[in-house]
Amino acid sequence: MSIKKAIIPAAGLGTRFLPATKAMPKEMLPIVDRPTIEYIVEEAVDSGIEDIIIVTGKGKRAIEDHFDSAYELEENLLKKGKYDLLEKVQKSANVEIHYIRQKEPKGLGHAIWSARKFIGNEPFAVLLGDDIVQNKIPCLKQLISVYEDTRSSVIGVQQVSEDETNRYGIIDPLSNRDRLYEVNRFVEKPPLGTAPSNLAIIGRYILTPEIFSFLEEHNIGAGGEIQLTDAIEQLNKTQKVFAFEFIGKRYDVGEKLDFIKTTIDLALQRDDLREPLLQYMKQKENRNTPSI
Ligand code: UTP
């Protein structure tokens, strides 16, 4: 069976972006002119996912509205002949998006557990909105290929610098062949200086449904939250869980400075924005003073 269902958890409080996220979900923060979550949905669709369940929470209605059809807006654009914009706001026909509410933000593990009935008894993907990955072969598609070879859970990892390891789930690798690691241990947010490696879990997962029996236990982990990494660690004791060092440029949009860098990089990829933006940055470099 191939991977056709994906969970996108989006029920976190987004405290690192307060006050912007007081009334607006962090997944709706725009990068250039598209909400972050649209990049994530696009990667899922490009990887062959047919059904997505977005786990939402309090104050997340804007996400549902965003992926719904907007009849009045579409009529208006049609009348005005703005077909390029019309295409941008129309619903994707290639994917069904469903929603479920996590009643309380008890942690990522709990958010995934909340979607168990939608997943049923099949392997599935998880994509976190905090990471955008660009690559010709989408990151999730790379993990799905590994799943198809191994028929085991596969966790996306990339190297991070040593002083950042306390912000991530980190793997303790056993062996490595062609970017694929067998894993001894998965540790969530190890204190600095104790990380078993600098290979960090980066928000893309393929999981077998057996993960739900461990999430069911609702064990509290790092930061007082129910952690997905802890359930993966338990799963790895009963069936093999691989880590795969995927290929691609990763943008961390859960952090303020990286969010700004991502906006600049993605704007530079746009024909309409590249030149004026470069000129503006050159001006700033020359004058080194704030300009309006
Ligand atoms: P984060 O910890 O990065 O997200 O969780 P957050 O809590 O929204 O943000 P900060 O740290 O307060 O700024 C990773 C992912 O898991 C989801 C988040 O929405 C995010 O996509 N999540 C987290 C849930 O869906 N439910 C939770 O209870 C916690």
Side-chain angles (χ1 to χ4, degrees), residues 5 28 31 80 98-99 111 133 183 215 220 234 254 260 276 279:
K5 291 183 182 172
M28 290 302 293
I31 297 173
K80 291 182 177 154
H98 316 260
Y99 301 91
V133 184
V183 181
L215 290 171
I220 307 292
Q234 285 175 285
I260 295 165
Q279 263 184 26

Side-chain angles (χ1 to χ4, degrees), residues 8-18 21 26-27 55-57 60 102 104-112 127-130 189 225-226 254-255:
I8 302 181
L13 295 176
T15 51
R16 284 170 289 177
F17 280 88
L18 281 170
T21 46
K26 93 170 167 188
E27 296 76 14
V55 183
T56 66
K60 302 275 182 169
Q102 183 189 13
E104 254 183 85
K106 292 183 180 171
L108 173 60
H110 184 259
I112 303 303
L127 300 98
L128 303 192
D130 280 354
K189 299 192 176 71
E225 297 195 343
I226 299 170
E255 284 288 324

